[in-house]
mmCIF file of all heavy atoms in Angstrom:
data_model
loop_
_atom_site.group_PDB
_atom_site.id
_atom_site.type_symbol
_atom_site.label_atom_id
_atom_site.label_comp_id
_atom_site.label_asym_id
_atom_site.label_seq_id
_atom_site.Cartn_x
_atom_site.Cartn_y
_atom_site.Cartn_z
ATOM 1 N N LEU N 1 0.846 -1.187 0.000
ATOM 2 C CA LEU N 1 0.000 0.000 0.000
ATOM 3 C C LEU N 1 0.888 1.246 0.000
ATOM 4 O O LEU N 1 2.045 1.188 0.419
ATOM 5 C CB LEU N 1 -0.904 0.020 1.229
ATOM 6 C CG LEU N 1 -2.273 -0.664 1.152
ATOM 7 C CD1 LEU N 1 -2.129 -2.144 0.856
ATOM 8 C CD2 LEU N 1 -3.047 -0.456 2.458
ATOM 9 N N PRO N 2 0.370 2.399 -0.436
ATOM 10 C CA PRO N 2 1.163 3.627 -0.383
ATOM 11 C C PRO N 2 1.706 3.868 1.034
ATOM 12 O O PRO N 2 0.975 3.716 2.015
ATOM 13 C CB PRO N 2 0.165 4.707 -0.801
ATOM 14 C CG PRO N 2 -0.802 3.989 -1.681
ATOM 15 C CD PRO N 2 -0.952 2.627 -1.064
ATOM 16 N N PRO N 3 3.000 4.255 1.154
ATOM 17 C CA PRO N 3 3.652 4.317 2.457
ATOM 18 C C PRO N 3 3.660 5.681 3.116
ATOM 19 O O PRO N 3 4.278 5.847 4.174
ATOM 20 C CB PRO N 3 5.091 3.920 2.111
ATOM 21 C CG PRO N 3 5.311 4.561 0.770
ATOM 22 C CD PRO N 3 3.977 4.452 0.052
ATOM 23 N N GLY N 4 3.004 6.675 2.531
ATOM 24 C CA GLY N 4 3.194 8.032 3.021
ATOM 25 C C GLY N 4 4.386 8.656 2.320
ATOM 26 O O GLY N 4 4.697 8.315 1.175
ATOM 27 N N ASN N 5 5.074 9.547 2.989
ATOM 28 C CA ASN N 5 6.219 10.245 2.396
ATOM 29 C C ASN N 5 7.487 9.430 2.637
ATOM 30 O O ASN N 5 8.185 9.614 3.629
ATOM 31 C CB ASN N 5 6.350 11.647 2.994
ATOM 32 C CG ASN N 5 7.357 12.504 2.243
ATOM 33 O OD1 ASN N 5 8.242 11.992 1.558
ATOM 34 N ND2 ASN N 5 7.229 13.810 2.366
ATOM 35 N N TRP N 6 7.785 8.534 1.718
ATOM 36 C CA TRP N 6 8.935 7.631 1.869
ATOM 37 C C TRP N 6 10.240 8.410 1.934
ATOM 38 O O TRP N 6 11.129 8.109 2.732
ATOM 39 C CB TRP N 6 8.952 6.647 0.705
ATOM 40 C CG TRP N 6 9.972 5.550 0.812
ATOM 41 C CD1 TRP N 6 11.233 5.560 0.315
ATOM 42 C CD2 TRP N 6 9.804 4.286 1.454
ATOM 43 N NE1 TRP N 6 11.863 4.375 0.604
ATOM 44 C CE2 TRP N 6 11.011 3.570 1.301
ATOM 45 C CE3 TRP N 6 8.741 3.678 2.140
ATOM 46 C CZ2 TRP N 6 11.196 2.283 1.792
ATOM 47 C CZ3 TRP N 6 8.925 2.392 2.641
ATOM 48 C CH2 TRP N 6 10.141 1.709 2.470
ATOM 49 N N ALA N 7 10.373 9.420 1.084
ATOM 50 C CA ALA N 7 11.612 10.200 1.039
ATOM 51 C C ALA N 7 11.876 10.920 2.354
ATOM 52 O O ALA N 7 13.030 11.161 2.724
ATOM 53 C CB ALA N 7 11.556 11.205 -0.111
ATOM 54 N N ALA N 8 10.822 11.233 3.085
ATOM 55 C CA ALA N 8 10.964 11.916 4.376
ATOM 56 C C ALA N 8 11.112 10.942 5.532
ATOM 57 O O ALA N 8 11.173 11.372 6.695
ATOM 58 C CB ALA N 8 9.763 12.825 4.610
ATOM 59 N N GLY N 9 11.145 9.651 5.249
ATOM 60 C CA GLY N 9 11.353 8.658 6.288
ATOM 61 C C GLY N 9 10.113 7.942 6.763
ATOM 62 O O GLY N 9 10.208 7.077 7.634
ATOM 63 N N GLU N 10 8.953 8.249 6.191
ATOM 64 C CA GLU N 10 7.749 7.517 6.583
ATOM 65 C C GLU N 10 7.789 6.112 6.004
ATOM 66 O O GLU N 10 8.211 5.903 4.851
ATOM 67 C CB GLU N 10 6.496 8.262 6.127
ATOM 68 C CG GLU N 10 6.281 9.554 6.888
ATOM 69 C CD GLU N 10 4.967 10.239 6.558
ATOM 70 O OE1 GLU N 10 4.404 9.992 5.464
ATOM 71 O OE2 GLU N 10 4.502 11.030 7.392
ATOM 72 N N ARG N 11 7.350 5.161 6.804
ATOM 73 C CA ARG N 11 7.373 3.755 6.397
ATOM 74 C C ARG N 11 5.994 3.135 6.615
ATOM 75 O O ARG N 11 5.827 2.134 7.267
ATOM 76 C CB ARG N 11 8.446 2.996 7.191
ATOM 77 C CG ARG N 11 9.874 3.471 6.906
ATOM 78 C CD ARG N 11 10.244 3.189 5.457
ATOM 79 N NE ARG N 11 11.611 3.566 5.110
ATOM 80 C CZ ARG N 11 11.961 4.707 4.540
ATOM 81 N NH1 ARG N 11 11.022 5.621 4.256
ATOM 82 N NH2 ARG N 11 13.222 4.956 4.230
ATOM 83 N N GLY N 12 5.002 3.775 6.026
ATOM 84 C CA GLY N 12 3.617 3.392 6.223
ATOM 85 C C GLY N 12 2.940 4.382 7.144
ATOM 86 O O GLY N 12 3.584 5.052 7.975
ATOM 87 N N ILE N 13 1.617 4.485 7.014
ATOM 88 C CA ILE N 13 0.869 5.461 7.814
ATOM 89 C C ILE N 13 -0.271 4.819 8.592
ATOM 90 O O ILE N 13 -1.078 5.520 9.198
ATOM 91 C CB ILE N 13 0.319 6.597 6.928
ATOM 92 C CG1 ILE N 13 -0.620 6.041 5.856
ATOM 93 C CG2 ILE N 13 1.467 7.380 6.296
ATOM 94 C CD1 ILE N 13 -1.315 7.125 5.033
ATOM 95 N N ALA N 14 -0.316 3.493 8.625
ATOM 96 C CA ALA N 14 -1.456 2.813 9.243
ATOM 97 C C ALA N 14 -1.548 3.029 10.744
ATOM 98 O O ALA N 14 -2.616 2.840 11.327
ATOM 99 C CB ALA N 14 -1.401 1.320 8.945
ATOM 100 N N SER N 15 -0.440 3.406 11.394
ATOM 101 C CA SER N 15 -0.470 3.628 12.840
ATOM 102 C C SER N 15 -0.309 5.098 13.209
ATOM 103 O O SER N 15 -0.133 5.420 14.388
ATOM 104 C CB SER N 15 0.642 2.814 13.520
ATOM 105 O OG SER N 15 1.921 3.266 13.113
ATOM 106 N N LEU N 16 -0.394 5.982 12.220
ATOM 107 C CA LEU N 16 -0.153 7.406 12.468
ATOM 108 C C LEU N 16 -1.468 8.145 12.699
ATOM 109 O O LEU N 16 -2.397 8.041 11.896
ATOM 110 C CB LEU N 16 0.593 8.043 11.295
ATOM 111 C CG LEU N 16 1.892 7.360 10.842
ATOM 112 C CD1 LEU N 16 2.618 8.231 9.824
ATOM 113 C CD2 LEU N 16 2.799 7.046 12.024
ATOM 114 N N PRO N 17 -1.561 8.908 13.783
ATOM 115 C CA PRO N 17 -2.813 9.623 14.071
ATOM 116 C C PRO N 17 -3.073 10.735 13.059
ATOM 117 O O PRO N 17 -2.150 11.381 12.554
ATOM 118 C CB PRO N 17 -2.555 10.199 15.476
ATOM 119 C CG PRO N 17 -1.063 10.305 15.591
ATOM 120 C CD PRO N 17 -0.518 9.149 14.804
ATOM 121 N N GLY N 18 -4.341 10.921 12.743
ATOM 122 C CA GLY N 18 -4.738 11.988 11.843
ATOM 123 C C GLY N 18 -4.535 11.698 10.368
ATOM 124 O O GLY N 18 -4.787 12.569 9.533
ATOM 125 N N ARG N 19 -4.120 10.479 10.034
ATOM 126 C CA ARG N 19 -3.853 10.139 8.633
ATOM 127 C C ARG N 19 -4.855 9.114 8.094
ATOM 128 O O ARG N 19 -4.625 8.508 7.039
ATOM 129 C CB ARG N 19 -2.426 9.582 8.501
ATOM 130 C CG ARG N 19 -1.328 10.489 9.070
ATOM 131 C CD ARG N 19 -1.056 11.686 8.214
ATOM 132 N NE ARG N 19 -0.390 11.315 6.985
ATOM 133 C CZ ARG N 19 0.957 11.172 6.877
ATOM 134 N NH1 ARG N 19 1.737 11.357 7.936
ATOM 135 N NH2 ARG N 19 1.491 10.857 5.714
ATOM 136 N N GLU N 20 -5.950 8.941 8.820
ATOM 137 C CA GLU N 20 -6.900 7.897 8.446
ATOM 138 C C GLU N 20 -7.492 8.093 7.051
ATOM 139 O O GLU N 20 -7.629 7.131 6.287
ATOM 140 C CB GLU N 20 -8.020 7.811 9.486
ATOM 141 C CG GLU N 20 -7.586 7.261 10.836
ATOM 142 C CD GLU N 20 -6.959 8.309 11.747
ATOM 143 O OE1 GLU N 20 -6.804 9.477 11.316
ATOM 144 O OE2 GLU N 20 -6.625 7.960 12.900
ATOM 145 N N ALA N 21 -7.841 9.327 6.701
ATOM 146 C CA ALA N 21 -8.427 9.579 5.382
ATOM 147 C C ALA N 21 -7.411 9.283 4.282
ATOM 148 O O ALA N 21 -7.746 8.658 3.258
ATOM 149 C CB ALA N 21 -8.913 11.016 5.286
ATOM 150 N N GLU N 22 -6.173 9.695 4.499
ATOM 151 C CA GLU N 22 -5.117 9.408 3.526
ATOM 152 C C GLU N 22 -4.890 7.901 3.402
ATOM 153 O O GLU N 22 -4.678 7.380 2.298
ATOM 154 C CB GLU N 22 -3.827 10.097 3.957
ATOM 155 C CG GLU N 22 -2.655 9.867 3.025
ATOM 156 C CD GLU N 22 -1.373 10.493 3.545
ATOM 157 O OE1 GLU N 22 -1.416 11.253 4.533
ATOM 158 O OE2 GLU N 22 -0.302 10.205 2.959
ATOM 159 N N PHE N 23 -4.947 7.207 4.527
ATOM 160 C CA PHE N 23 -4.773 5.759 4.499
ATOM 161 C C PHE N 23 -5.865 5.108 3.659
ATOM 162 O O PHE N 23 -5.587 4.240 2.821
ATOM 163 C CB PHE N 23 -4.791 5.198 5.918
ATOM 164 C CG PHE N 23 -4.698 3.696 5.974
ATOM 165 C CD1 PHE N 23 -3.475 3.062 5.837
ATOM 166 C CD2 PHE N 23 -5.836 2.919 6.149
ATOM 167 C CE1 PHE N 23 -3.387 1.676 5.858
ATOM 168 C CE2 PHE N 23 -5.760 1.538 6.174
ATOM 169 C CZ PHE N 23 -4.533 0.907 6.035
ATOM 170 N N ARG N 24 -7.101 5.527 3.844
ATOM 171 C CA ARG N 24 -8.206 4.920 3.095
ATOM 172 C C ARG N 24 -8.091 5.198 1.606
ATOM 173 O O ARG N 24 -8.405 4.341 0.775
ATOM 174 C CB ARG N 24 -9.541 5.419 3.647
ATOM 175 C CG ARG N 24 -9.796 4.919 5.063
ATOM 176 C CD ARG N 24 -11.173 5.264 5.578
ATOM 177 N NE ARG N 24 -11.403 4.671 6.897
ATOM 178 C CZ ARG N 24 -12.562 4.269 7.342
ATOM 179 N NH1 ARG N 24 -13.644 4.406 6.582
ATOM 180 N NH2 ARG N 24 -12.677 3.730 8.547
ATOM 181 N N GLU N 25 -7.628 6.389 1.261
ATOM 182 C CA GLU N 25 -7.387 6.693 -0.147
ATOM 183 C C GLU N 25 -6.311 5.772 -0.714
ATOM 184 O O GLU N 25 -6.419 5.295 -1.853
ATOM 185 C CB GLU N 25 -6.972 8.155 -0.305
ATOM 186 C CG GLU N 25 -8.084 9.154 -0.027
ATOM 187 C CD GLU N 25 -7.586 10.585 -0.068
ATOM 188 O OE1 GLU N 25 -6.392 10.796 -0.393
ATOM 189 O OE2 GLU N 25 -8.381 11.503 0.222
ATOM 190 N N GLY N 26 -5.277 5.525 0.091
ATOM 191 C CA GLY N 26 -4.211 4.639 -0.350
ATOM 192 C C GLY N 26 -4.689 3.218 -0.555
ATOM 193 O O GLY N 26 -4.253 2.527 -1.491
ATOM 194 N N VAL N 27 -5.573 2.753 0.308
ATOM 195 C CA VAL N 27 -6.141 1.415 0.148
ATOM 196 C C VAL N 27 -6.879 1.325 -1.186
ATOM 197 O O VAL N 27 -6.716 0.354 -1.948
ATOM 198 C CB VAL N 27 -7.091 1.083 1.319
ATOM 199 C CG1 VAL N 27 -7.857 -0.205 1.042
ATOM 200 C CG2 VAL N 27 -6.309 0.973 2.625
ATOM 201 N N ALA N 28 -7.672 2.328 -1.478
ATOM 202 C CA ALA N 28 -8.428 2.319 -2.736
ATOM 203 C C ALA N 28 -7.499 2.335 -3.945
ATOM 204 O O ALA N 28 -7.734 1.635 -4.943
ATOM 205 C CB ALA N 28 -9.378 3.515 -2.776
ATOM 206 N N THR N 29 -6.423 3.117 -3.853
ATOM 207 C CA THR N 29 -5.458 3.176 -4.950
ATOM 208 C C THR N 29 -4.788 1.836 -5.163
ATOM 209 O O THR N 29 -4.639 1.362 -6.300
ATOM 210 C CB THR N 29 -4.400 4.251 -4.660
ATOM 211 O OG1 THR N 29 -5.031 5.537 -4.578
ATOM 212 C CG2 THR N 29 -3.340 4.289 -5.753
ATOM 213 N N ALA N 30 -4.366 1.190 -4.071
ATOM 214 C CA ALA N 30 -3.699 -0.111 -4.171
ATOM 215 C C ALA N 30 -4.627 -1.163 -4.759
ATOM 216 O O ALA N 30 -4.211 -1.978 -5.600
ATOM 217 C CB ALA N 30 -3.204 -0.544 -2.795
ATOM 218 N N ILE N 31 -5.876 -1.159 -4.340
ATOM 219 C CA ILE N 31 -6.833 -2.129 -4.871
ATOM 220 C C ILE N 31 -7.043 -1.912 -6.365
ATOM 221 O O ILE N 31 -7.122 -2.872 -7.143
ATOM 222 C CB ILE N 31 -8.161 -2.052 -4.095
ATOM 223 C CG1 ILE N 31 -7.968 -2.601 -2.673
ATOM 224 C CG2 ILE N 31 -9.267 -2.810 -4.816
ATOM 225 C CD1 ILE N 31 -9.171 -2.419 -1.771
ATOM 226 N N ALA N 32 -7.097 -0.655 -6.791
ATOM 227 C CA ALA N 32 -7.257 -0.363 -8.217
ATOM 228 C C ALA N 32 -6.071 -0.908 -9.010
ATOM 229 O O ALA N 32 -6.255 -1.472 -10.104
ATOM 230 C CB ALA N 32 -7.405 1.140 -8.428
ATOM 231 N N TYR N 33 -4.863 -0.760 -8.499
ATOM 232 C CA TYR N 33 -3.680 -1.318 -9.162
ATOM 233 C C TYR N 33 -3.752 -2.843 -9.196
ATOM 234 O O TYR N 33 -3.444 -3.474 -10.218
ATOM 235 C CB TYR N 33 -2.406 -0.870 -8.458
ATOM 236 C CG TYR N 33 -1.751 0.338 -9.080
ATOM 237 C CD1 TYR N 33 -2.214 1.616 -8.803
ATOM 238 C CD2 TYR N 33 -0.661 0.203 -9.928
ATOM 239 C CE1 TYR N 33 -1.604 2.740 -9.365
ATOM 240 C CE2 TYR N 33 -0.051 1.312 -10.495
ATOM 241 C CZ TYR N 33 -0.523 2.579 -10.211
ATOM 242 O OH TYR N 33 0.075 3.682 -10.781
ATOM 243 N N ALA N 34 -4.130 -3.445 -8.080
ATOM 244 C CA ALA N 34 -4.188 -4.913 -8.015
ATOM 245 C C ALA N 34 -5.189 -5.474 -9.007
ATOM 246 O O ALA N 34 -4.972 -6.547 -9.588
ATOM 247 C CB ALA N 34 -4.527 -5.358 -6.593
ATOM 248 N N LYS N 35 -6.284 -4.775 -9.220
ATOM 249 C CA LYS N 35 -7.284 -5.249 -10.179
ATOM 250 C C LYS N 35 -6.708 -5.296 -11.587
ATOM 251 O O LYS N 35 -7.084 -6.158 -12.390
ATOM 252 C CB LYS N 35 -8.514 -4.351 -10.131
ATOM 253 C CG LYS N 35 -9.374 -4.555 -8.888
ATOM 254 C CD LYS N 35 -10.592 -3.643 -8.895
ATOM 255 C CE LYS N 35 -11.475 -3.899 -7.689
ATOM 256 N NZ LYS N 35 -12.665 -2.988 -7.668
ATOM 257 N N VAL N 36 -5.795 -4.393 -11.892
ATOM 258 C CA VAL N 36 -5.160 -4.393 -13.211
ATOM 259 C C VAL N 36 -4.039 -5.421 -13.275
ATOM 260 O O VAL N 36 -3.929 -6.186 -14.244
ATOM 261 C CB VAL N 36 -4.611 -2.988 -13.551
ATOM 262 C CG1 VAL N 36 -3.841 -3.018 -14.871
ATOM 263 C CG2 VAL N 36 -5.732 -1.974 -13.619
ATOM 264 N N LEU N 37 -3.205 -5.480 -12.234
ATOM 265 C CA LEU N 37 -2.013 -6.332 -12.263
ATOM 266 C C LEU N 37 -2.321 -7.793 -11.983
ATOM 267 O O LEU N 37 -1.541 -8.669 -12.350
ATOM 268 C CB LEU N 37 -0.984 -5.816 -11.261
ATOM 269 C CG LEU N 37 -0.520 -4.361 -11.451
ATOM 270 C CD1 LEU N 37 0.612 -4.035 -10.490
ATOM 271 C CD2 LEU N 37 -0.103 -4.097 -12.888
ATOM 272 N N GLY N 38 -3.425 -8.061 -11.290
ATOM 273 C CA GLY N 38 -3.841 -9.437 -11.083
ATOM 274 C C GLY N 38 -3.316 -10.099 -9.828
ATOM 275 O O GLY N 38 -3.591 -11.282 -9.605
ATOM 276 N N ASN N 39 -2.562 -9.402 -8.996
ATOM 277 C CA ASN N 39 -2.087 -10.018 -7.747
ATOM 278 C C ASN N 39 -3.222 -10.123 -6.745
ATOM 279 O O ASN N 39 -4.144 -9.308 -6.731
ATOM 280 C CB ASN N 39 -0.922 -9.228 -7.150
ATOM 281 C CG ASN N 39 -1.216 -7.750 -6.983
ATOM 282 O OD1 ASN N 39 -1.373 -7.044 -7.977
ATOM 283 N ND2 ASN N 39 -1.286 -7.290 -5.748
ATOM 284 N N ARG N 40 -3.128 -11.119 -5.875
ATOM 285 C CA ARG N 40 -4.154 -11.358 -4.867
ATOM 286 C C ARG N 40 -3.702 -10.942 -3.478
ATOM 287 O O ARG N 40 -4.473 -11.062 -2.514
ATOM 288 C CB ARG N 40 -4.554 -12.841 -4.831
ATOM 289 C CG ARG N 40 -4.825 -13.472 -6.196
ATOM 290 C CD ARG N 40 -5.755 -12.641 -7.062
ATOM 291 N NE ARG N 40 -7.056 -12.408 -6.450
ATOM 292 C CZ ARG N 40 -7.946 -11.524 -6.897
ATOM 293 N NH1 ARG N 40 -7.663 -10.761 -7.933
ATOM 294 N NH2 ARG N 40 -9.105 -11.408 -6.291
ATOM 295 N N LEU N 41 -2.461 -10.452 -3.345
ATOM 296 C CA LEU N 41 -1.912 -10.080 -2.041
ATOM 297 C C LEU N 41 -1.502 -8.617 -2.035
ATOM 298 O O LEU N 41 -0.890 -8.128 -2.992
ATOM 299 C CB LEU N 41 -0.681 -10.937 -1.709
ATOM 300 C CG LEU N 41 -0.838 -12.457 -1.724
ATOM 301 C CD1 LEU N 41 0.518 -13.114 -1.462
ATOM 302 C CD2 LEU N 41 -1.860 -12.903 -0.694
ATOM 303 N N LEU N 42 -1.814 -7.922 -0.936
ATOM 304 C CA LEU N 42 -1.358 -6.555 -0.694
ATOM 305 C C LEU N 42 -0.774 -6.474 0.704
ATOM 306 O O LEU N 42 -1.342 -7.022 1.653
ATOM 307 C CB LEU N 42 -2.514 -5.558 -0.817
ATOM 308 C CG LEU N 42 -3.089 -5.293 -2.207
ATOM 309 C CD1 LEU N 42 -4.320 -4.391 -2.100
ATOM 310 C CD2 LEU N 42 -2.047 -4.652 -3.114
#
């Protein structure tokens, strides 16, 4: 799933307060990619 700002040292945002909306957007983006690429794991 999208990790947040990787270049700034973020390594995922699932445990970060106040980032819930961004996390949900990232989930939707990852699922859209998976539907095209065909992988079953995220």
Side-chain angles (χ1 to χ4, degrees):
L1 271 61
N5 190 338
W6 187 268
E10 291 186 337
R11 295 296 182 264
I13 60 174
S15 65
L16 307 189
R19 306 286 289 274
E20 290 83 357
E22 180 184 351
F23 177 80
R24 293 187 176 212
E25 291 175 4
V27 171
T29 298
I31 290 173
Y33 264 81
K35 286 180 177 179
V36 175
L37 302 186
N39 52 293
R40 313 311 301 168
L41 304 176
L42 289 174

